[in-house]
Amino acid sequence: MDPADVWPDLPYAAWCETATTLQLWTQIVGKVRLMLTPWLNHGWQVPFYVTARGLGTSPIPAGNEILEIEFDFISHRLVLRNSRGDERGTPLKPQTVAVFHCQVMDLLRDIGVAVAVNELPNEMPNPIRFSQDRTHASYDAGAAHRFWRALIQIDRVFKLFRSGFLGKASPVHFFWGGFDLAVTRFSGRPAPLHPGGIPGLPDSVTREAYSHEVSSAGFWPGNEAFPQAAFYSYAYPEPPGFRERSVTQGAIYDATLGEYILPYDTVRTAANPDALLLAFMSTTYAAAAEAGKWDRASLECPLGIPARARQLRVNLAQPS
């Protein structure tokens, strides 16, 4: 396979209109999940997951049944399935957010799910209610497919990184608010109350998400304020000295964003993209853990190996 197909080029300017429209579409579906699923710590009940065909919700409670919704970036369809065997779908194609919102609500009613969502987008500038948004209507199928192909590789490396931690860690999941794939490690200690103030996100949600100390890493495809695909890593609360630590070559600390940044292009064009991305995640986590005085000996373990049980540290001393 051509390396460019494994780690495809994702120039933000070339697909920015599709990226914005797709982010709004994912928010409609994500808010359906939000309204039907009991709250889980740090908002972990709402993200999507990378699937063999695109991005999916995983099971959503729907009365006595379950519902799954998937953005299929191979057939370019939105697919709804339930545990009764019902399936509905609609093409992913150039169409307004208002039309897409109407289609999703119609499909849900047709499959027996009654739900209404807050129509105001989250974490986006100048939000327009979904049912009134006739501005965003782009869908470049090739670009959406390349974005998903990149997510496949990133998800795979993120999951390997997650395997090297014994403490509390999030799944690797895709947040439709920020339109980013992320994985988070926790020190186990409570964090000071987050000040909030994130545009388009209720302070109560932000404060619940950051109730405990974290080192978080992720990937986003870019936006108007930061128009390039990049990996990021940050700590909350940021410990003294975190931003001065030595990390992977090619990464920098962006004081405006408050996080380490590694351009996606730097990774995809590297001789060994997997190794470089893993090094970025490992060194920036180490920067947070060392500066924050985490109990690294108790929290960490070697990376997981398929079909091999983790080796335990056995204390051979017998009690006297």
Side-chain angles (χ1 to χ4, degrees):
M1 179 179 288
D2 187 331
D5 293 330
V6 178
W7 290 88
D9 192 11
L10 290 176
Y12 179 73
W15 81 295
C16 58
E17 293 181 359
T18 290
T20 300
T21 301
L22 186 57
Q23 182 175 3
L24 290 163
W25 291 355
T26 63
Q27 292 207 12
I28 293 168
V29 173
K31 290 190 176 205
V32 170
R33 186 175 191 189
L34 174 66
M35 296 304 297
L36 295 175
T37 310
W39 196 277
L40 188 61
N41 51 293
H42 316 298
W44 291 354
Q45 82 284 1
V46 299
F48 297 161
Y49 300 92
V50 177
T51 73
R53 298 189 70 89
L55 286 168
T57 60
S58 78
I60 301 169
N64 294 322
E65 304 291 340
I66 58 174
L67 167 71
E68 292 185 337
I69 307 176
E70 183 177 39
F71 286 84
D72 183 333
F73 295 128
I74 295 177
S75 297
H76 299 286
R77 289 179 58 80
L78 182 76
V79 181
L80 292 75
R81 304 181 185 90
N82 67 18
S83 49
R84 294 191 304 268
D86 301 320
E87 182 173 314
R88 302 289 187 275
T90 188
L92 300 177
K93 62 183 182 180
Q95 59 188 330
T96 66
V97 170
V99 168
F100 184 81
H101 172 262
C102 183
Q103 290 177 342
V104 171
M105 295 299 113
D106 286 346
L107 290 171
L108 286 165
R109 282 190 291 270
D110 194 42
I111 211 169
V113 177
V115 62
V117 304
N118 180 338
E119 291 190 19
L120 204 63
N122 292 104
E123 301 182 59
M124 301 188 73
N126 307 312
I128 306 169
R129 291 178 63 85
F130 298 139
S131 62
Q132 299 172 10
D133 187 346
R134 295 173 179 81
T135 300
H136 301 101
S138 298
Y139 187 74
D140 178 336
H145 183 85
R146 288 190 295 275
F147 174 54
W148 165 65
R149 290 297 304 174
L151 290 179
I152 290 174
Q153 307 311 318
I154 297 162
D155 181 74
R156 178 175 54 78
V157 178
F158 280 17
K159 284 175 176 171
L160 177 60
F161 172 73
R162 183 176 184 260
S163 72
F165 199 71
L166 297 174
K168 174 180 170 180
S170 76
V172 178
H173 41 207
F174 186 87
F175 281 105
W176 40 264
F179 210 55
D180 58 330
L181 191 72
V183 62
T184 302
R185 290 177 171 184
F186 292 77
S187 73
R189 300 186 302 240
L193 186 68
H194 196 286
I198 297 177
L201 194 63
D203 287 348
S204 60
V205 174
T206 303
R207 287 168 178 159
E208 197 277 337
Y210 292 102
S211 61
H212 289 70
E213 292 181 346
V214 301
S215 170
S216 189
F219 163 81
W220 76 81
N223 57 27
E224 289 184 8
F226 192 90
Q228 67 170 308
F231 298 95
Y232 64 82
S233 182
Y234 64 89
Y236 180 79
E238 183 180 314
F242 170 68
R243 62 182 65 187
E244 286 83 30
R245 295 273 170 164
S246 177
V247 298
T248 302
Q249 187 174 2
I252 62 168
Y253 185 89
D254 187 306
T256 301
L257 296 173
E259 48 198 29
Y260 283 100
I261 297 295
L262 178 66
Y264 171 77
D265 279 348
T266 301
V267 172
R268 78 173 188 87
T269 59
N272 189 335
D274 288 27
L276 179 58
L277 178 52
L278 192 60
F280 171 72
M281 300 180 76
S282 299
T283 58
T284 54
Y285 156 72
E290 285 295 312
K293 297 180 171 57
W294 290 26
D295 183 3
R296 297 187 64 184
S298 297
L299 292 171
E300 299 170 21
C301 65
L303 296 177
I305 299 173
R308 184 182 300 178
R310 179 174 59 85
Q311 292 293 309
L312 299 181
R313 298 188 184 98
V314 180
N315 184 356
L316 299 178
Q318 297 298 318
S320 57

